[in-house]
Amino acid sequence: MSLSISLTVNGAVRDVTLNDARVTLLDLLRERLALPGTKKGCDRGQCGACTVLIDGRRINACLTLAATLDGAEVTTIEGLACGDMLHPVQAAFIDHDGFQCGYCTPGQIMSAVGLIAEGRAGTDPERIREGMSGNLCRCSAYHGITEAVLDATTRIAAEKARKSA
Amino acid sequence: MNLFDYTRPASVEAAIAAWVPGAAWLGGGTNLVDLMKTGAMQPGKLIDVTRLPGLDRIETLPDGSTRIGAMVRNADLAHDAGFARAFPMVAEALLSGASGQLRNAATVGGNLMQRTRCAYFADPHSACNRRTPGAGCDARGGDTGGMAVLGWSPACIATNPSDFCVALAALEATVEVQGTGGKREIAFADFHRLPGDTPEIETALQPGELILALRLPAEAAQFAANSRYLKLRERTSYAFALVSAAAALRLDGGRIVAARLALGAVAAKPWRVASAEALLVGQAPEPALFARAAAEAVAGAAPSGENAHKIELARRIAVRALTAAAQGTPDRMPALPASVFGEPAHV
């Protein structure tokens, strides 16, 4: 069966015809929309490498059927930076060495963006670690990741305070 | 993954009319899509119920009960301030399960319908009576460390993996369902079934029935000050329970006037023992009493393989949860929900 959906990906409207309802958002992004920044790790919802935002909320793209996303707004790692200006979470991951091989990093960063937007972990490292537990890092860069999320939380809060002042 | 038809009906009535044998309701998809990838589930049709109108609300009904639409996402329920204040144990159970990403997608109705995490069930190349009636059970004599110690049968030794359902069982939730025969309500204790000779029949739902909502009775909120959900797992976060316990007490003048206790991950359904709760009522909350109640809660337990340790773990987690409940619900959700390693509840 063929299905037509329209969704917004990183700010651009994309009209997609699926000839098969089995397509996941992860495969749609990587194979159809030329956005390979979102990674396929386990493809089973266990590693978090495929984390993206749907309508601002972090989810696992590997377990999300594309057919369900008509009208949705998707943000991937490719949609975070403004040109050469990195998103604060991206910058913080570099500053704090929040990765080694880098494969899980897009998922880590998208998860961190979602976590910070949820606004419940604050600057408590334990709550950040718990909030990031859906993202595995086999290089075990967890210390740097926690430091990066902590720092990005502070930077984003400062930026917000500056704007509202 | 098998080929399937996908449809997204606009109303509950249209969804129920769209059901055909072999169809599956699609909620958050966090469990169903995963099992479709392994081939353990091969529905011919997915009926997407996530956008059905009216199923995404949390509301207080005139009788004081709380009604939770089946398509409310786990994260939204756990973080709803009013809900978490009235039912902190339920919120803690929800937040102890899965990851932030999965909780954003998973629905409360789907949580009730999630399948066992028995590896032999998920692997279509293993024999599984639950997946294929009469096929046999490769779990028996296999890797049995996480399997059931209560209520299992020779046909199936799998456990129900839900955290949420353990808390719901303790608080006597009801499940509102609708099918072609109309609406009906199912008491939580009757919703999930023990395997017996028919492990493939997992719930009281009839084919084609859809969960519309859960309801928590008004009196369930009376446990808010003294209730905890605690869970032992192989890593501190993002892991299914080895064993868990939901404990809720109502204290008055230094005595327990009402008590609820349910165990998780020990059976194919949340395990609630009325006689264990009855032991607690009228007594002062003391370690020796909690030990007696916990022993009563696991009475009749038997290993289904190399998992006798789970009986002792279940007994201990019940004592810990009762002790924590007596000390008082934490003012703020612990950094590590349901962890026995978190900050003490009473500090």
Side-chain angles (χ1 to χ4, degrees), chain B residues 1-341:
Chain B
M1 204 188 296
N2 64 294
L3 279 169
F4 57 86
D5 289 333
Y6 170 85
T7 180
R8 191 173 60 231
S11 68
V12 169
E13 289 68 27
I16 288 164
W19 192 85
V20 292
W25 309 115
L26 178 65
T30 54
N31 187 207
L32 176 61
V33 174
D34 185 25
L35 289 170
M36 287 169 66
K37 287 187 177 191
T38 70
M41 293 187 71
Q42 302 186 11
K45 183 178 190 179
L46 288 192
I47 305 169
D48 184 346
V49 293
T50 55
R51 300 195 203 183
L52 291 181
L55 300 195
D56 60 350
R57 288 200 296 264
I58 305 164
E59 51 197 336
T60 305
L61 300 184
D63 68 354
S65 64
T66 299
R67 185 175 188 272
I68 308 152
M71 290 299 111
V72 172
R73 308 286 169 162
N74 284 9
D76 294 334
L77 181 61
H79 293 303
D80 181 274
F83 181 84
R85 205 164 33 245
F87 309 106
M89 179 173 75
V90 182
E92 184 165 23
L94 278 168
L95 293 176
S96 76
S99 65
Q101 292 96 315
L102 291 166
R103 291 192 294 271
N104 276 342
T107 62
V108 302
N111 193 301
L112 267 62
M113 297 305 293
Q114 72 178 305
R115 314 301 290 271
T116 180
R117 260 57 184 193
C118 174
Y120 303 93
F121 171 81
D123 169 24
H125 304 293
S126 295
C128 175
N129 289 318
R130 188 174 285 270
R131 176 165 33 77
T132 312
C137 172
D138 278 349
R140 298 201 70 187
D143 182 0
T144 49
M147 299 296 175
V149 291
L150 284 157
W152 54 273
S153 74
C156 183
I157 60 173
T159 60
N160 183 303
S162 175
D163 297 300
F164 182 48
C165 289
V166 182
L168 293 178
L171 295 179
E172 296 187 345
T174 50
V175 188
E176 290 180 25
V177 306
Q178 185 171 342
T180 48
K183 289 186 189 181
R184 67 185 181 114
E185 293 183 4
I186 304 170
F188 209 82
D190 301 327
F191 188 81
H192 296 101
R193 298 171 51 125
L194 293 176
D197 294 330
T198 54
E200 73 279 11
I201 304 172
E202 298 185 338
T203 70
L205 282 186
Q206 295 297 314
E209 276 187 322
L210 174 67
I211 299 174
L212 299 183
L214 309 173
R215 236 179 31 246
L216 282 164
E219 56 267 29
Q222 294 174 359
F223 293 100
N226 291 93
S227 55
R228 284 303 298 276
Y229 178 76
L230 292 181
K231 170 178 175 182
L232 293 178
R233 48 204 139 166
E234 289 180 337
R235 58 183 178 193
T236 312
S237 178
Y238 196 16
F240 290 102
L242 279 172
V243 296
S244 69
L249 303 172
R250 206 143 54 75
L251 300 171
D252 189 14
R255 299 270 157 186
I256 299 167
V257 296
R260 302 286 174 80
L261 177 65
L263 300 175
V266 293
K269 63 185 289 182
W271 197 260
R272 190 172 162 219
V273 178
S275 55
E277 294 176 355
L279 275 177
L280 295 163
V281 175
Q283 308 296 313
E286 287 168 354
L289 174 71
F290 294 154
R292 282 206 308 280
E296 181 69 15
V298 298
S304 58
E306 294 176 357
N307 58 1
H309 61 283
K310 280 188 64 168
I311 302 171
E312 178 61 13
L313 287 179
R315 195 190 62 73
R316 292 187 191 188
I317 199 69
V319 172
R320 286 289 282 269
L322 286 165
T323 306
Q327 286 169 341
T329 305
D331 291 336
R332 186 184 178 200
M333 184 62 65
L336 301 174
S339 173
V340 295
F341 303 112

